[in-house]
Amino acid sequence: MADKKKIIRAVAYPRYSSDNQREESIIAQMRAIEQYCQQKGYVLVDAYPDEEKTATTDRRPNFQRMIEDSAKRLFDVVVVHKLDRFARNRYDSAHYKRILKRNGVRVESVLEQLDGSPEAVILESMLEGMAEYYSLNLAREVRKGMRENAEKGIHTGGRPPYGLRINPETRLLEIDPERNKAVRIYFEGLDKDVPRAQIARTLNELGYRTQEGRKFTVNSFQGWATNRKYRGDYVFDVSAPKDDEGKRNTAKKKPEEVHIIIPGLIPPSVDPELFDRVNAKLSMRKRKAGRMKAKVNYLLTGKIVCGQCGSLFAGNSYRNPKSKDNSLLTYYKCQGKCGNTSVRKEDIEAITIEELIKHCFSREGMTETVKRVQAMYAEQRQTSQNDVEPIKKELRELEGLIENWINALGKGIKGLEEKIVEAQHRQEALEFELSKIQAMQSVSALDESLIIKILEEKKTTLLSADEDDKKAVLQEYVDRVVIQPSKDINRFEAEITYRVFNNGGEGSRTPVRR
């Protein structure tokens, strides 16, 4: 069965900021963005133009509407004409890019197409490694205080679970009598094998609403069943650390033996025996779950372009009815139906990996990459020096705001939950940027051997059997693969363009024949 083509939905963010710039500036940016999307095979679904607004502030109406719409999963990529159209303040840029990334959206630039290039990815990974020590130091005293509060049962921040609230005087968690009835209905329903959809309908009929004021759905109960606070246990330091991208997956937990768990410190929302019984039942269901059917992993998704009609190639597969073992045939096929040849998955992926190793992971290619990474580092180090004090000032202001909002929330003032969460995300982004700057100021130049080590690891990955890791490297290094017109699946010419610098030029175009 043929795999469905993934349509990449793009939106444009054109902006001009000066009275000396005319409306044509927006039109020119839109024209360039439209051409860029056409070349990339993106579907341009909307535009958020801001006129006479400066990127040094985030008070831009269409910009904010775009950020809000990203949470609705309306698009996959934001395209700007130039990165300074998005934001000139680097830590504002980091903040909003993190929000977009959290919503599954990336930012691309027409004129700076190497933003997110292999060199930039390498530099970012090295900065994150360097920043780890500084980041830990920055958070150590804060976490120490939070741990001391946790051991006393004092709420350490964030929104309390549904059905619980913060006592404004003691800062301890206590039961919200009305909402707690909904929590009990949920657990009693699960104990009786009532589907979550039915539980949601029951709560809606009784007039209950989520913390955001919306009707309940099956997704509204995320994390309820396993939240030990409903059992009466205070828990802290449960979530796993952030991943390599600085992102925290709250569903991923640390080993239970390192959790801070204080039984009976919170009034139980439900009977502990009921809580344990429900969790045992859910655990049994997980173990009995059927195996997911393996899917074909197309390593060059979104990278192969037809040299005849310009359309993207998409992965396709079907079972060969003539083979004894009903073997699976996999290939990439032009979605434009222009008659250009399809290419076998194993053929084009093997050719691309072979050429990538030859051109980008040769001694000369890696030397050139090292130079570029070191130059990027020197440039970032120079421009980041003046950012430390403004970031520290804003962090102090955010800390005060969050504390005031949490106190107000504990007194029963509603509508502050989203502000607290947004401020905490902003705080996290600023702390991340601060730790990187501090790391850069302590190291004058990057060690060439460390960069070479990263490149060697990527080369080893390309030769490994791990399809997901290989795909990540290919998606990072390959700009596109153009399949020139042919009628023969066994004889075609491909032009591969890499996202690296070679001899001062952007990209390396390599024609190969099969």
Side-chain angles (χ1 to χ4, degrees), residues 332-462:
Y332 293 90
K333 181 179 180 180
C334 176
Q335 299 302 289
K337 300 179 180 179
C338 65
N340 197 2
T341 182
S342 297
V343 292
R344 296 186 187 92
K345 176 183 181 296
E346 62 270 22
D347 288 348
I348 193 62
E349 288 177 358
I351 290 170
T352 304
I353 289 173
E354 180 182 343
E355 293 296 318
L356 183 58
I357 290 174
K358 183 190 300 183
H359 292 276
C360 300
F361 291 98
S362 63
R363 180 177 298 177
E364 295 78 9
M366 287 195 288
T367 299
E368 185 66 30
T369 300
V370 167
K371 291 178 182 177
R372 175 62 183 164
V373 172
Q374 289 175 327
M376 291 174 71
Y377 176 78
E379 182 180 349
Q380 283 202 25
R381 186 172 184 269
Q382 179 66 32
T383 58
S384 68
Q385 291 177 348
N386 298 325
D387 289 341
V388 173
E389 287 309 314
I391 291 178
K392 286 183 175 179
K393 179 182 177 183
E394 187 171 352
L395 280 170
R396 289 192 294 269
E397 293 171 352
L398 280 172
E399 187 177 349
L401 275 176
I402 292 170
E403 184 175 354
N404 290 338
W405 285 336
I406 289 175
N407 288 335
L409 195 64
K411 294 177 181 177
I413 299 175
K414 298 181 179 180
L416 297 173
E417 293 91 342
E418 290 186 8
K419 286 186 176 181
I420 293 172
V421 171
E422 184 62 29
Q424 288 173 334
H425 287 157
R426 172 76 168 177
Q427 187 180 42
E428 184 177 293
L430 289 172
E431 288 175 348
F432 180 75
E433 290 302 307
L434 181 61
S435 64
K436 286 203 301 183
I437 293 170
Q438 290 175 325
M440 281 191 284
Q441 297 310 311
S442 69
V443 179
S444 59
L446 293 180
D447 189 331
E448 178 179 342
S449 65
L450 295 178
I451 304 174
I452 292 292
K453 183 180 178 182
I454 292 174
L455 290 168
E456 291 287 359
E457 288 173 354
K458 290 180 181 289
K459 180 178 178 180
T460 301
T461 295
L462 287 173

Side-chain angles (χ1 to χ4, degrees), residues 158-434:
R159 185 165 63 182
Y162 191 90
L164 292 171
R165 64 190 181 191
I166 307 167
N167 185 300
E169 296 180 2
T170 65
R171 298 292 302 277
L172 301 176
L173 288 171
E174 62 183 21
I175 287 177
D176 180 334
E178 187 57 34
R179 283 186 166 183
N180 188 60
K181 294 175 185 177
V183 176
R184 290 203 304 270
I185 291 171
Y186 172 74
F187 276 92
E188 289 166 0
L190 290 186
D191 191 41
K192 296 174 182 176
D193 297 321
V194 178
R196 283 183 172 89
Q198 179 59 52
I199 298 174
R201 285 194 293 270
T202 299
L203 293 180
N204 291 333
E205 290 168 1
L206 292 172
Y208 289 103
R209 294 296 180 263
T210 67
Q211 302 215 50
E212 292 78 20
R214 304 187 184 100
K215 287 187 175 183
F216 278 92
T217 69
V218 291
N219 296 322
S220 303
F221 306 114
Q222 184 72 31
W224 281 33
T226 56
N227 193 329
R228 293 181 64 112
K229 289 178 181 177
Y230 287 139
R231 190 185 186 280
D233 301 339
Y234 191 97
V235 293
F236 177 68
D237 207 17
V238 173
S239 296
K242 298 172 188 177
D243 60 21
D244 291 339
E245 295 178 348
K247 189 174 181 181
R248 190 186 303 281
N249 179 1
T250 54
K252 190 175 181 181
K253 309 299 183 186
K254 292 180 180 177
E256 191 166 331
E257 57 267 20
V258 302
H259 297 176
I260 295 176
I261 302 175
I262 308 174
L265 201 59
I266 303 171
S269 302
V270 298
D271 186 274
E273 290 184 5
L274 172 60
F275 181 92
D276 294 342
R277 193 162 60 243
V278 165
N279 273 269
K281 185 176 291 188
L282 295 176
S283 180
M284 286 293 293
R285 288 177 186 171
K286 284 183 180 180
R287 286 197 289 270
K288 291 179 180 178
R291 293 180 298 171
M292 293 292 290
K293 184 178 178 182
K295 294 183 179 180
V296 179
N297 195 345
Y298 291 92
L299 309 185
L300 293 170
T301 297
K303 297 293 185 180
I304 304 182
V305 181
C306 179
Q308 184 160 304
C309 71
S311 299
L312 281 175
F313 274 52
N316 281 262
S317 64
Y318 67 92
R319 294 287 175 183
N320 183 3
K322 297 180 181 179
S323 64
K324 293 181 180 179
D325 58 354
N326 198 29
S327 59
L328 184 68
L329 301 180
T330 56
Y331 56 98
Y332 293 90
K333 181 179 180 180
C334 176
Q335 299 302 289
K337 300 179 180 179
C338 65
N340 197 2
T341 182
S342 297
V343 292
R344 296 186 187 92
K345 176 183 181 296
E346 62 270 22
D347 288 348
I348 193 62
E349 288 177 358
I351 290 170
T352 304
I353 289 173
E354 180 182 343
E355 293 296 318
L356 183 58
I357 290 174
K358 183 190 300 183
H359 292 276
C360 300
F361 291 98
S362 63
R363 180 177 298 177
E364 295 78 9
M366 287 195 288
T367 299
E368 185 66 30
T369 300
V370 167
K371 291 178 182 177
R372 175 62 183 164
V373 172
Q374 289 175 327
M376 291 174 71
Y377 176 78
E379 182 180 349
Q380 283 202 25
R381 186 172 184 269
Q382 179 66 32
T383 58
S384 68
Q385 291 177 348
N386 298 325
D387 289 341
V388 173
E389 287 309 314
I391 291 178
K392 286 183 175 179
K393 179 182 177 183
E394 187 171 352
L395 280 170
R396 289 192 294 269
E397 293 171 352
L398 280 172
E399 187 177 349
L401 275 176
I402 292 170
E403 184 175 354
N404 290 338
W405 285 336
I406 289 175
N407 288 335
L409 195 64
K411 294 177 181 177
I413 299 175
K414 298 181 179 180
L416 297 173
E417 293 91 342
E418 290 186 8
K419 286 186 176 181
I420 293 172
V421 171
E422 184 62 29
Q424 288 173 334
H425 287 157
R426 172 76 168 177
Q427 187 180 42
E428 184 177 293
L430 289 172
E431 288 175 348
F432 180 75
E433 290 302 307
L434 181 61

Side-chain angles (χ1 to χ4, degrees), residues 8-73:
I8 299 177
R9 302 160 300 169
V11 296
Y13 180 66
R15 180 190 63 81
Y16 75 89
S17 57
S18 169
D19 291 334
N20 295 325
Q21 292 178 297
R22 298 171 298 169
E23 186 180 355
E24 284 79 4
S25 298
I26 293 284
I27 295 173
Q29 288 177 47
M30 280 300 302
R31 188 181 301 116
I33 290 171
E34 288 168 359
Q35 292 174 351
Y36 176 86
C37 290
Q38 185 177 10
Q39 179 188 13
K40 288 285 189 178
Y42 299 164
V43 177
L44 190 60
V45 296
D46 207 346
Y48 297 83
D50 271 323
E51 301 177 3
E52 298 182 7
K53 302 290 180 182
T54 173
T56 58
T57 175
D58 59 6
R59 290 190 289 270
R60 293 170 274 159
N62 277 340
F63 179 84
Q64 291 298 340
R65 185 166 65 87
M66 177 182 73
I67 297 297
E68 291 174 5
D69 285 351
S70 72
K72 303 173 186 176
R73 301 297 196 266

